[in-house]
Amino acid sequence: MKFFIDTANLAQIKEAQDLGVLDGVTTNPSLMAKEGVVGKENIYEHYRKICEITTGDVSAEVISTDFDGMIKEADALVKIHPRIVVKIPMIKDGVKAIKHLHDKGIKVNCTLIFSAGQALLAAKAGAAYVSPFIGRLDDISTDGMELIEQIRLIFDNYNFQCEILAASIRHPVHIVKCAEYGADVATCPLSSILALLKHPLTDIGLEKFLADYNASQKTGK
Ligand code: G3P
């Protein structure tokens, strides 16, 4: 399973990249706003900086909701860097835009996926990724992970090449479950990635190994 980081924070992207496990980055307008990046020029420059840190795909989301607007934005976004993937929302004009961009050889990540039907439609239109929002489904008392399982089954039935990019991940158990259910990618906050490495028995075990080593150096046995 690929690990993407779901942030526009450059320091966090660098930290994940330096850890050696980062395969890409996803952003959205809320995450850009959180970093205080304002204005089209600055936003595009910020995408360029993200692309310089990571070696993987970088999802950049359109703001337009009409077909012409989305295509215009997509054309501008892919000029920023060859690894930009255009993020398009799951709406009617979005589906048309996915097909159009796919036919032009532009990779699309279809975002705001909350049902298997939406994922099927996006894959059929030619999306390179679909982004089911796990945490937001959990928030409304629906098991987000069941959606990953359903989409995996459908994509495997028809050998769709579209990758399942599990999004809205809130904690490390989500990441492990995504791997169990066969998501191709999990896009995660840095805190969830770092939480994967923690276990109290690891800390206790390491402390004991080092204490035994230090004691043996003093006593010679
Ligand atoms: O990738 C989508 C993600 O940013 C949404 O996460 O936590 O706002 O539901 P969240």
Side-chain angles (χ1 to χ4, degrees):
M1 186 175 74
K2 292 181 211 165
F3 275 34
F4 284 10
I5 190 167
D6 194 30
T7 185
N9 182 284
L10 300 178
Q12 290 188 11
I13 295 167
K14 181 152 184 356
E15 190 174 339
Q17 179 67 30
D18 289 349
L19 195 59
V21 298
L22 193 65
D23 299 299
V25 178
T26 52
T27 62
N28 62 40
S30 303
L31 293 171
M32 276 292 188
K34 198 172 157 190
E35 297 309 313
V37 190
V38 178
K40 194 171 141 185
E41 294 301 317
N42 292 332
I43 289 172
Y44 282 25
E45 175 59 15
H46 202 77
Y47 284 137
R48 196 186 54 73
K49 287 182 186 160
I50 293 173
C51 290
E52 279 172 5
I53 299 172
T54 180
T55 50
D57 282 351
V58 174
S59 287
E61 190 158 340
V62 298
I63 307 301
S64 306
T65 52
D66 65 294
F67 176 83
D68 290 338
M70 283 189 265
I71 300 305
K72 199 171 157 207
E73 273 190 69
D75 286 339
L77 286 169
V78 296
K79 284 194 186 99
I80 298 171
H81 195 279
R83 277 186 281 101
I84 289 281
V85 172
V86 181
K87 216 170 173 189
I88 300 273
M90 172 36 76
I91 53 176
K92 195 172 177 186
D93 275 23
V95 175
K96 290 184 199 169
I98 293 168
K99 168 75 177 137
H100 178 89
L101 294 169
H102 171 257
D103 289 351
K104 280 177 72 179
I106 293 173
K107 277 175 93 171
V108 173
N109 172 0
C110 183
T111 190
L112 292 165
I113 296 283
F114 292 96
S115 76
Q118 290 179 322
L120 176 59
L121 200 54
K124 185 91 184 138
Y129 299 101
V130 284
S131 290
F133 278 34
I134 305 311
R136 290 193 196 181
L137 282 168
D138 289 355
D139 289 345
I140 57 157
S141 306
T142 306
D143 186 355
M145 216 48 70
E146 277 180 11
L147 179 57
I148 300 292
E149 209 174 4
Q150 231 182 336
I151 300 172
R152 181 74 280 153
L153 176 68
I154 293 169
F155 283 9
D156 287 351
N157 278 348
Y158 297 100
N159 201 23
F160 279 119
Q161 296 309 299
C162 180
E163 293 189 59
I164 303 171
L165 194 167
S168 185
I169 281 177
R170 305 277 173 76
H171 51 71
V173 177
H174 271 156
I175 303 177
V176 174
K177 289 283 170 200
C178 280
E180 284 179 21
Y181 290 149
D184 298 289
V185 188
T187 189
C188 322
L190 180 63
S191 58
S192 299
I193 298 174
L194 295 179
L196 286 177
L197 63 84
K198 298 304 288 179
H199 196 289
L201 291 179
T202 304
D203 297 339
I204 292 166
L206 182 59
E207 203 176 315
K208 176 88 170 69
F209 285 155
L210 295 180
D212 288 347
Y213 171 80
N214 288 330
S216 72
Q217 297 312 296
K218 280 181 197 147
T219 61
K221 58 180 178 172

